[in-house]
Amino acid sequence: MTPEESKNLLRELLLKGSSEELNHELEHIHPADILEILHEDDDANFETILKRLPESFVADLIDEEDEEEKYEILKVLSDYQQSEVLKEMSSDELTDLVGSLEDEELDDVLNKMSDEDREDVKQLLAYDPDTAGGIMATEFIAIWENKTVKKTLEYLQSIKEEMESSYYLFVTDRNFILKGVISLRELVSTPFDTLISEITNPHVISIDVNMDQEEVAHKFEKYGFVTMPVVDETNKMLGIVTVDDIVQIIQDENTEDIHQLGGVSGEERVDGTLAESIRSRLPWLMVNLLTAILAASVVGAFEGTISQVVALATIMPIVTGMGGNAGTQSLTIIVRGIALGELTGDNARRILFKELGVGLITGVVIGLLMCIIGLIFQGKMIFGLVCGVAMFLNMVAATMAGYFVPLLLKKMHVDPALASAVFVTTVTDVLGFFFFLGLATMFLPYLL
Amino acid sequence: MTPEESKNLLRELLLKGSSEELNHELEHIHPADILEILHEDDDANFETILKRLPESFVADLIDEEDEEEKYEILKVLSDYQQSEVLKEMSSDELTDLVGSLEDEELDDVLNKMSDEDREDVKQLLAYDPDTAGGIMATEFIAIWENKTVKKTLEYLQSIKEEMESSYYLFVTDRNFILKGVISLRELVSTPFDTLISEITNPHVISIDVNMDQEEVAHKFEKYGFVTMPVVDETNKMLGIVTVDDIVQIIQDENTEDIHQLGGVSGEERVDGTLAESIRSRLPWLMVNLLTAILAASVVGAFEGTISQVVALATIMPIVTGMGGNAGTQSLTIIVRGIALGELTGDNARRILFKELGVGLITGVVIGLLMCIIGLIFQGKMIFGLVCGVAMFLNMVAATMAGYFVPLLLKKMHVDPALASAVFVTTVTDVLGFFFFLGLATMFLPYLL
């Protein structure tokens, strides 16, 4: 059966299968696959299918769906169904849902929640959405250390419904102060009569509720866990963060960095609207226009020289362009190094000298080539020297700008990915024109 | 206790603690934390600490360590210790280790492995390292569906050692043909006398052994699993891929894309050596130099025009620079859209028209501004018009190049991130100079 055929079969089932068949099959179908079908179908089918699905499954669908589309699913259901769906969702899923809503929709959805859920969500909404508190779920399994493995398994069997996203059990005291952790792996492979305290790992690595989500992602990468506990300053356990959220955060942060380095907003999407693209790009083009005018004004100041040696106009874009390339190379390495946490206080000095070395060496190589190009092009040794020396100076300036601009932006608490490229190419354009045309003006009598 | 103090305490323990203390404490310390201490210490301490650690812990350290550094840890140990450490490592960990070795070291390490491990590793090395086969581990827990939960738990208790990285149990027949999956969550929360067949999910989502690792990462993102089974074409289970490897792959692929977009090799690291940086960057600078000469030769062809209207030399870098910025914006969105799988056959046409729309609208806006700038700068309406029209044409060409270049490269099976930027800026430079100086030459009599 081809993927297309099995998709059609599934669509048939969703639209026309008996509710018994439907419930039976859905137990084993991943919501992401149903979502794919819903996205491809028309509005009528969309509504029919959603109304036929069990509430717990709709809850999973909403969890899988992109932030802006979550409410589209919920709102086709009856008020009663909506309440039932909301009951099935965990606190972080609910928070994600309401986080994207406008005031009126927000009130409506909050009213349909149980009192307990509403309180949880209001608490979670109080955290900055880009921190551990903003991404955590408050549902987790806390156990006590004076029980045996068998007792604990029986306890877990009794709360099956709540087991949803845990691969670890957290050992706490009655006030939920975090004492230790046990993986399910450990639990299932330990004899029944062992005491929990014997297999508890007391060195839990936890996350402060106010930690930035990028730092949380670094912790997951470093330790390779699938779940980490979130605690407040008293070590009271507040919730858990799971690795599937982290994968999404890593991708989003990377998209943001790549977009910003390319001069578009972090939020623009390839399948977004024309208006969104214009809003994302036009402001940066305006900023670039200003910096381009600044650079052009340097050229303007040397028009007298150019009018006497027109060959300068031909060569000058090479000098600024190559500087721009070298600067972009350095800033790319530095910006990525900062994002990955690989550029630290300890190695910053060594990396500065390395970048300087790159500037000097590539400057000599490209400078020599420019010298030859200039000589061939205009026939005068001194013209070649002006080309080569200007190129050398601009390459060194470029790597230094590529090093210092992102680090200075970071010191000023500006995202280095956001503005580094504009600053660095402004430096290489302005200095490139200045070095080249300035040197040419100094040696003008010999160039004629 | 500050992090610095607890680190010093741990270092003290590693260097001077009794072996009993050491073994007891290490049970609960994450290898990533020990690795941090080893990286900061001098060579003498590095060796002392490694020789004092239990072999199973050294195996974990090697697993955590970066690819190129793994062998540095192993080689300080005695031959006997090396064999013991290798015994503790899983097949994918061993494959990662030997994958980075030169011929002589490789033979040495293979000789120290058990016969079984050596066979496993040789098999895994046969897979392309960038596919599911190249990243999977061959250790997984297969169970049979006619057993009860309790029998299964007892079985797991008996093979505790092998449980290392599983959160799922895979139900197979005697030939390891994959029949279904059970999460540990499900297992621990189901009454003891339930049959495994009753809680097995037969709709396992599996990964073909030859699937590219980037596609594997997409599957993990889509479904949010922490482990996925790897199968061959007969649905025989070969191994598992775990989400912690996926997080690393996602970061590496992102770093590669960001670096390539910035004109440096995917492998360069911010804390690498000067020689590595030069090797990573100089080739791209050379390519850029060639394309810059190509663009400059367009300027050279119009030297006659420039010598008569020197103001053209001042304005022309703005026309090419702005085109470069607009082209980079489009290609960034397209390259990232391809990488995230968001640009598909279905929406490619719509996105083409959107990019064209962006080119036309930003072209009109920036073109009008250029028209005014030209007018102010030189005082002639016709000069302003030449600036504005050239700018408009170059903005449209830029967005079209930003759209088509990455897609064409992808069709030719070249990584779009690798070469798009060079091609697009070459287009915007060459066409920018050509539009601007060509128009100026056409209207030269009116510009004088």
Side-chain angles (χ1 to χ4, degrees):
Chain A
M1 197 158 53
T2 67
E4 206 45 47
E5 281 166 0
S6 69
K7 203 184 271 181
N8 285 333
L9 212 69
L10 184 55
R11 180 180 290 115
E12 205 60 18
L13 171 78
L14 289 171
L15 283 167
K16 297 180 190 142
S18 73
S19 81
E20 200 180 337
E21 272 178 315
L22 201 58
N23 286 339
H24 178 75
E25 287 296 320
L26 282 178
E27 257 180 59
H28 303 308
I29 294 172
H30 196 285
D33 290 325
I34 306 281
L35 217 50
E36 233 171 56
I37 290 179
L38 287 173
H39 286 165
E40 288 167 13
D41 267 5
D42 55 28
D43 289 353
N45 280 354
F46 184 82
E47 208 175 315
T48 315
I49 293 175
L50 283 176
K51 288 192 164 161
R52 286 167 51 81
L53 290 172
E55 280 88 10
S56 64
F57 202 88
V58 178
D60 290 343
L61 284 180
I62 292 176
D63 181 37
E64 285 287 327
E65 181 58 289
D66 291 342
E67 196 117 322
E68 318 81 63
E69 307 291 329
K70 287 178 191 291
Y71 188 63
E72 302 301 309
I73 294 182
L74 188 69
K75 74 176 182 194
V76 305
L77 303 177
S78 70
D79 282 0
Y80 173 75
Q81 279 180 310
Q82 289 189 27
S83 301
E84 292 300 305
V85 168
L86 293 172
K87 266 187 213 156
E88 299 282 346
M89 294 173 69
S90 68
S91 57
D92 63 327
E93 291 167 10
L94 288 171
T95 309
D96 283 349
L97 167 67
V98 303
S100 64
L101 298 180
E102 304 295 319
D103 288 355
E104 219 166 291
E105 299 164 353
L106 178 65
D107 286 344
D108 178 50
V109 173
L110 283 175
N111 280 334
K112 285 171 183 147
M113 287 183 194
S114 72
D115 293 347
E116 196 188 328
D117 280 347
R118 188 162 44 239
E119 275 320 297
D120 280 355
V121 166
K122 281 189 172 163
Q123 232 168 37
L124 285 177
L125 283 174
Y127 295 111
D128 179 342
D130 291 340
T131 63
I135 55 176
M136 73 182 177
T138 51
E139 290 84 1
F140 56 89
I141 313 286
I143 57 173
W144 287 276
E145 57 184 349
N146 54 350
K147 301 275 192 262
T148 63
V149 166
K150 194 166 180 192
K151 280 271 173 235
T152 303
L153 284 169
E154 283 164 355
Y155 168 64
L156 295 178
Q157 290 164 14
S158 74
I159 56 158
K160 174 155 192 166
E161 289 306 301
E162 296 165 35
M163 281 294 292
E164 200 177 333
S165 64
S166 284
Y167 296 98
Y168 296 94
L169 305 172
F170 297 95
V171 182
T172 68
D173 65 16
R174 307 272 152 175
N175 297 317
F176 290 103
I177 301 298
L178 185 61
K179 295 289 179 197
V181 64
I182 297 174
S183 76
L184 289 187
R185 240 157 39 198
E186 189 79 24
L187 186 73
V188 300
S189 56
T190 300
F192 291 130
D193 53 0
T194 313
L195 272 179
I196 289 297
S197 60
E198 289 176 53
I199 54 171
T200 301
N201 176 356
H203 292 263
V204 205
I205 299 172
S206 61
I207 291 171
D208 183 90
V209 69
N210 294 312
M211 186 183 276
D212 183 84
Q213 65 174 3
E214 216 168 337
E215 224 177 305
V216 175
H218 282 162
K219 275 219 165 183
F220 269 86
E221 272 179 77
K222 176 174 173 187
Y223 293 112
F225 292 135
V226 298
T227 310
M228 285 179 86
V230 179
V231 296
D232 68 9
E233 67 282 2
T234 67
N235 209 32
K236 181 179 170 190
M237 191 162 165
L238 302 174
I240 54 171
V241 176
T242 49
V243 72
D244 52 323
D245 296 325
I246 294 300
V247 169
Q248 203 47 57
I249 287 166
I250 289 176
Q251 282 295 34
D252 289 350
E253 299 272 353
N254 278 313
T255 299
E256 195 178 302
D257 281 0
I258 290 174
H259 280 192
Q260 289 179 343
L261 283 170
V264 296
S265 88
E267 288 80 35
E268 185 178 341
R269 284 294 167 276
V270 71
D271 54 358
T273 67
L274 177 60
E276 284 165 359
S277 293
I278 300 287
R279 266 200 300 277
S280 148
R281 302 188 204 176
L282 200 51
W284 274 115
L285 289 174
M286 294 293 190
V287 173
N288 278 311
L289 184 59
L290 285 179
T291 66
I293 292 171
L294 179 67
S297 68
V298 177
V299 181
F302 290 102
E303 272 190 8
T305 305
I306 298 174
S307 70
Q308 294 181 63
V309 187
V310 184
L312 294 171
T314 304
I315 301 291
M316 69 182 193
I318 309 185
V319 177
T320 51
M322 291 302 292
N325 291 324
T328 304
Q329 289 184 328
S330 293
L331 87 86
T332 300
I333 291 291
I334 301 298
V335 166
R336 187 63 180 162
I338 293 173
L340 292 176
E342 289 173 357
L343 200 169
T344 59
D346 290 343
N347 58 18
R349 238 177 106 86
R350 199 181 69 72
I351 291 168
L352 167 61
F353 284 115
K354 191 194 64 181
E355 288 302 320
L356 183 61
V358 172
L360 291 170
I361 293 172
T362 58
V364 166
V365 175
I366 304 292
L368 277 174
L369 289 170
M370 279 303 291
C371 193
I372 297 167
I373 291 165
L375 180 62
I376 294 171
F377 184 71
Q378 213 240 9
K380 286 210 181 71
M381 191 60 210
I382 187 83
F383 188 85
L385 276 177
V386 167
C387 295
V389 172
M391 188 73 261
F392 171 78
L393 292 175
N394 204 24
M395 295 290 280
V396 177
T399 48
M400 288 300 90
Y403 176 86
F404 281 110
V405 168
L407 286 173
L408 284 177
L409 287 172
K410 200 195 156 207
K411 271 230 169 102
M412 292 156 62
H413 302 286
V414 177
D415 186 342
L418 179 64
S420 289
V422 154
F423 280 114
V424 170
T425 51
T426 304
V427 169
T428 56
D429 278 359
V430 168
L431 288 184
F433 287 135
F434 178 75
F435 289 142
F436 184 57
L437 298 174
L439 279 170
T441 307
M442 275 171 65
F443 295 100
L444 190 55
Y446 310 100
L447 294 173
L448 296 171
Chain B
M1 198 157 53
T2 67
E4 207 42 51
E5 281 167 359
S6 69
K7 202 185 271 181
N8 284 334
L9 212 69
L10 183 56
R11 180 179 290 117
E12 204 61 15
L13 171 78
L14 290 170
L15 283 167
K16 300 186 188 135
S18 73
S19 80
E20 199 181 337
E21 272 179 316
L22 202 56
N23 287 336
H24 178 75
E25 286 297 321
L26 283 178
E27 259 180 56
H28 303 307
I29 295 172
H30 196 284
D33 290 325
I34 305 281
L35 218 50
E36 232 172 57
I37 289 179
L38 286 173
H39 286 164
E40 288 168 12
D41 265 8
D42 57 28
D43 288 354
N45 279 354
F46 183 82
E47 208 175 314
T48 314
I49 291 174
L50 282 175
K51 290 194 163 160
R52 286 166 52 83
L53 289 172
E55 280 89 6
S56 63
F57 201 89
V58 177
D60 291 342
L61 283 181
I62 292 177
D63 180 37
E64 286 286 328
E65 181 59 288
D66 292 342
E67 198 119 319
E68 319 82 63
E69 306 291 329
K70 288 177 190 291
Y71 188 63
E72 302 300 309
I73 293 181
L74 188 69
K75 75 176 182 193
V76 304
L77 303 177
S78 71
D79 283 1
Y80 173 76
Q81 280 180 309
Q82 289 188 28
S83 304
E84 293 299 306
V85 168
L86 293 171
K87 266 187 214 155
E88 300 282 345
M89 293 172 69
S90 69
S91 57
D92 63 326
E93 292 168 8
L94 287 171
T95 309
D96 283 349
L97 167 67
V98 304
S100 64
L101 297 180
E102 304 295 320
D103 289 356
E104 218 166 293
E105 298 164 354
L106 177 65
D107 287 342
D108 179 50
V109 174
L110 283 175
N111 280 332
K112 284 173 184 148
M113 286 182 195
S114 72
D115 294 346
E116 195 189 329
D117 281 346
R118 188 162 45 241
E119 277 321 297
D120 281 354
V121 166
K122 281 186 174 164
Q123 237 170 32
L124 285 177
L125 282 175
Y127 296 111
D128 179 341
D130 291 339
T131 64
I135 55 175
M136 72 182 177
T138 52
E139 290 84 0
F140 57 89
I141 313 286
I143 58 173
W144 287 276
E145 54 185 351
N146 55 352
K147 300 277 191 266
T148 63
V149 166
K150 192 166 181 194
K151 279 270 175 234
T152 304
L153 285 169
E154 283 165 354
Y155 168 65
L156 295 177
Q157 290 165 14
S158 76
I159 56 158
K160 174 155 194 166
E161 289 305 300
E162 296 165 36
M163 282 293 293
E164 201 178 330
S165 64
S166 286
Y167 296 99
Y168 296 94
L169 304 173
F170 297 95
V171 182
T172 69
D173 66 16
R174 306 272 154 175
N175 297 316
F176 290 103
I177 302 297
L178 186 59
K179 296 289 178 197
V181 63
I182 297 175
S183 77
L184 289 188
R185 244 162 29 202
E186 189 79 23
L187 186 74
V188 300
S189 55
T190 301
F192 290 131
D193 53 358
T194 314
L195 271 180
I196 288 298
S197 59
E198 291 176 52
I199 55 171
T200 300
N201 175 357
H203 293 263
V204 204
I205 298 171
S206 61
I207 291 171
D208 183 88
V209 68
N210 294 313
M211 185 182 277
D212 183 83
Q213 63 174 7
E214 219 169 334
E215 223 177 305
V216 175
H218 282 161
K219 275 220 166 184
F220 269 86
E221 271 178 78
K222 176 174 173 187
Y223 293 112
F225 292 136
V226 298
T227 309
M228 285 179 86
V230 179
V231 297
D232 68 10
E233 66 283 1
T234 68
N235 208 32
K236 182 179 168 191
M237 189 161 166
L238 303 174
I240 54 171
V241 176
T242 48
V243 70
D244 53 322
D245 296 324
I246 295 299
V247 168
Q248 202 50 56
I249 287 166
I250 289 176
Q251 281 294 34
D252 288 350
E253 299 273 352
N254 279 314
T255 299
E256 197 178 299
D257 281 0
I258 290 174
H259 280 191
Q260 289 178 344
L261 284 170
V264 296
S265 87
E267 287 80 35
E268 186 178 341
R269 284 294 166 278
V270 71
D271 54 358
T273 67
L274 177 59
E276 285 164 358
S277 294
I278 299 288
R279 269 200 302 276
S280 147
R281 303 190 205 175
L282 200 51
W284 275 115
L285 289 174
M286 294 294 192
V287 173
N288 278 312
L289 184 58
L290 286 178
T291 65
I293 292 171
L294 179 67
S297 68
V298 177
V299 181
F302 291 100
E303 273 192 8
T305 306
I306 296 174
S307 71
Q308 294 180 64
V309 187
V310 184
L312 294 171
T314 303
I315 300 292
M316 68 181 195
I318 308 184
V319 176
T320 52
M322 290 304 292
N325 291 325
T328 303
Q329 288 184 328
S330 292
L331 87 86
T332 300
I333 290 293
I334 301 298
V335 166
R336 186 63 180 164
I338 293 173
L340 291 177
E342 290 174 356
L343 201 168
T344 60
D346 291 341
N347 58 16
R349 240 178 104 86
R350 198 180 71 72
I351 291 168
L352 168 60
F353 284 114
K354 191 195 65 180
E355 287 303 320
L356 183 61
V358 172
L360 291 170
I361 293 172
T362 57
V364 166
V365 175
I366 304 291
L368 277 175
L369 288 171
M370 280 303 290
C371 193
I372 296 167
I373 292 165
L375 179 62
I376 293 170
F377 184 71
Q378 213 239 9
K380 287 211 181 70
M381 192 58 211
I382 186 84
F383 187 85
L385 278 175
V386 167
C387 295
V389 173
M391 189 72 260
F392 170 78
L393 293 174
N394 204 25
M395 294 290 281
V396 177
T399 48
M400 289 299 90
Y403 176 86
F404 282 109
V405 167
L407 286 173
L408 285 176
L409 287 172
K410 200 195 156 206
K411 271 228 168 105
M412 294 157 62
H413 302 286
V414 178
D415 186 341
L418 179 64
S420 289
V422 153
F423 281 114
V424 170
T425 50
T426 304
V427 169
T428 55
D429 278 358
V430 168
L431 289 184
F433 287 135
F434 179 75
F435 290 142
F436 183 58
L437 297 174
L439 279 171
T441 307
M442 275 172 65
F443 296 99
L444 188 57
Y446 310 98
L447 293 174
L448 294 172

